[in-house]
Amino acid sequence: MVENERRSSFLAQLVLSAVVAGGAVVAAHGQDAKTTLVEPPAPLLPLQVGDWVRQPDDPAAQPANDARTETILTEDGLKRSEHAVYRVGNAGPAVTVTAQQFVDATGAHAAYSYYQRPGSTYRGTGLGSETSASAEGYLFRSGASVVEAKGPRGAKTEALLSGIEVRLPKVAGPKGLPPLLPTYLPEKGLERESVKYALGPVSYEAMGGVLPGAILGFDKAAEAVTAKYAGKGQLTMLLYPTPQIAGDRLRAVEDEVHKRGQGAGTVVLRREGPLVLMTSGDWVLAEAKSLVEGIHPKAEVTWNKQMPLEFHTEVRKTYSLLTSIAIFCGFGALAAIVLGFGLGAGRAAVRVLQGKPAASEPEFLRIDLSGGQTAIHADGPGSQQ
């Protein structure tokens, strides 16, 4: 009986010790654990701008994009979007606003180009970086954001959009730079509202591209611009990260043009560095050649989006090769120095063991230009002839 009580007491103490130790571990773990607070980004659309007040959100009224639009926005690098309805007072006209934020200004410019509808009036930089107006409302790009407003046009609506534009997220550095490719378009005869900029095959074909998007190499970070010229035809410009990629895609475009034959119209193809140019449609041959030959890529071309995978692979291969060559040369130089010191010290040691001076005879390489005769000293003390 006593033995059983002792065993029970021992087991109870053992369980109690385990519980205390477990509590201490949990407490220590709780002390070491850190809590990270992630602050959500500020809303794209404010609650109020002047007299304009944002109305309560209605999930049923949220616009839904079709599958093609969703794919195009993915190609352009959409990060987030927001939809809101603004009204002055309870009975004032409503303005529906949709704001979208992209990874960089290049993607935002591509989306702006896609949303710009035929018949809209290009207004330059009236709102944000570029603006267009149509019967439905306004469309403008500010940095890496695109805002579309549907409602009555006028000073009040423009004041609302100006207030929204000021509150949009700002993008600095390379991501805030618009693409340079559209600036290569010659201005003479250009129909500004026809200019379309694409970063993917779906958006390129959706905006009237004359070539199959699959052969243009958008998976290799290609950019495409299409534009119409009054009374003439269409100009297509393709920009690639390297001249090698441009040359490869030029051959694919040539094959496609040969398949179409006369149906492509007046085609003039030209490549200069990473830029590929092509005319199509009702061009006079001389005018098409003059237009294409007058376009040159600027030396300050910069890229603000990620290079294709094979580009990084080639860079790594080149870096690895140059590093290996530098290491080999370094070891070779070190081995030459060690070998030189070793041979020199060994030769000096042998001379000392033979009873000679460690250094070579000073007159061994001497040239006497005085014309006199000088005795030649042989090795060893006391020997002379």
Side-chain angles (χ1 to χ4, degrees), residues 182 185-195 226-230:
L185 289 170
E187 292 292 335
K188 185 178 180 181
L190 175 65
E191 297 179 356
R192 173 60 61 179
E193 67 278 3
S194 70
V195 178
T226 58
K228 295 180 181 179
Y229 284 79

Side-chain angles (χ1 to χ4, degrees), residues 129-309:
S129 304
E130 49 191 339
T131 312
S132 60
S134 63
E136 296 181 351
Y138 299 90
L139 175 69
F140 72 89
R141 178 186 68 84
S142 177
S145 301
V146 175
V147 177
E148 184 179 20
K150 296 182 179 180
R153 292 172 52 179
K156 289 186 177 181
T157 302
E158 293 184 9
L160 166 65
L161 298 180
S162 296
I164 292 175
E165 194 271 335
V166 171
R167 294 170 174 81
L168 290 173
K170 308 304 177 187
V171 180
K175 290 187 176 182
L177 298 176
L180 287 175
L181 183 59
T183 64
Y184 298 163
L185 289 170
E187 292 292 335
K188 185 178 180 181
L190 175 65
E191 297 179 356
R192 173 60 61 179
E193 67 278 3
S194 70
V195 178
K196 298 297 180 182
Y197 175 78
L199 294 174
V202 179
S203 58
Y204 170 77
E205 294 180 359
M207 291 187 287
V210 297
L211 296 169
I215 71 170
L216 299 183
F218 286 104
D219 58 331
K220 297 177 174 60
E223 300 179 34
V225 164
T226 58
K228 295 180 181 179
Y229 284 79
K232 299 174 184 177
Q234 183 168 330
L235 173 66
T236 300
M237 299 194 303
L238 305 169
L239 186 63
Y240 296 91
T242 65
Q244 290 75 18
I245 299 176
D248 177 69
R249 292 301 88 201
L250 175 63
R251 290 185 286 273
V253 172
E254 289 176 341
D255 293 340
E256 179 64 24
V257 171
H258 291 156
K259 291 178 183 178
R260 297 190 180 187
Q262 298 296 328
T266 303
V267 177
V268 175
L269 276 167
R270 175 172 168 266
R271 180 184 72 84
E272 182 174 346
L275 184 64
V276 175
L277 305 167
M278 187 190 83
T279 62
S280 58
D282 300 329
W283 285 92
V284 176
L285 181 59
E287 293 180 347
K289 287 184 177 180
S290 176
L291 180 76
V292 168
E293 291 174 357
I295 300 175
H296 305 280
K298 298 181 178 64
E300 66 269 21
V301 172
T302 58
W303 292 86
N304 56 8
K305 63 180 183 297
Q306 188 175 4
M307 294 292 103
L309 181 59

Side-chain angles (χ1 to χ4, degrees), residues 54-191:
R54 181 172 177 171
Q55 305 301 301
D57 294 337
D58 183 5
Q62 297 290 331
N65 295 323
D66 55 27
R68 187 180 72 169
T69 301
E70 290 292 342
T71 303
I72 292 173
L73 294 177
T74 301
E75 290 177 348
D76 297 338
L78 178 66
K79 293 178 63 177
R80 57 177 177 144
S81 61
E82 198 169 321
H83 177 80
V85 177
Y86 290 88
R87 192 188 300 272
V88 177
N90 297 326
V95 176
T96 303
V97 181
T98 302
Q100 296 175 326
Q101 182 184 2
F102 294 83
V103 174
D104 52 30
T106 298
H109 182 84
Y112 172 86
S113 181
Y114 170 70
Y115 282 120
Q116 193 175 13
R117 297 293 178 252
S120 60
T121 304
Y122 182 74
R123 299 181 54 186
T125 58
L127 286 169
S129 304
E130 49 191 339
T131 312
S132 60
S134 63
E136 296 181 351
Y138 299 90
L139 175 69
F140 72 89
R141 178 186 68 84
S142 177
S145 301
V146 175
V147 177
E148 184 179 20
K150 296 182 179 180
R153 292 172 52 179
K156 289 186 177 181
T157 302
E158 293 184 9
L160 166 65
L161 298 180
S162 296
I164 292 175
E165 194 271 335
V166 171
R167 294 170 174 81
L168 290 173
K170 308 304 177 187
V171 180
K175 290 187 176 182
L177 298 176
L180 287 175
L181 183 59
T183 64
Y184 298 163
L185 289 170
E187 292 292 335
K188 185 178 180 181
L190 175 65
E191 297 179 356

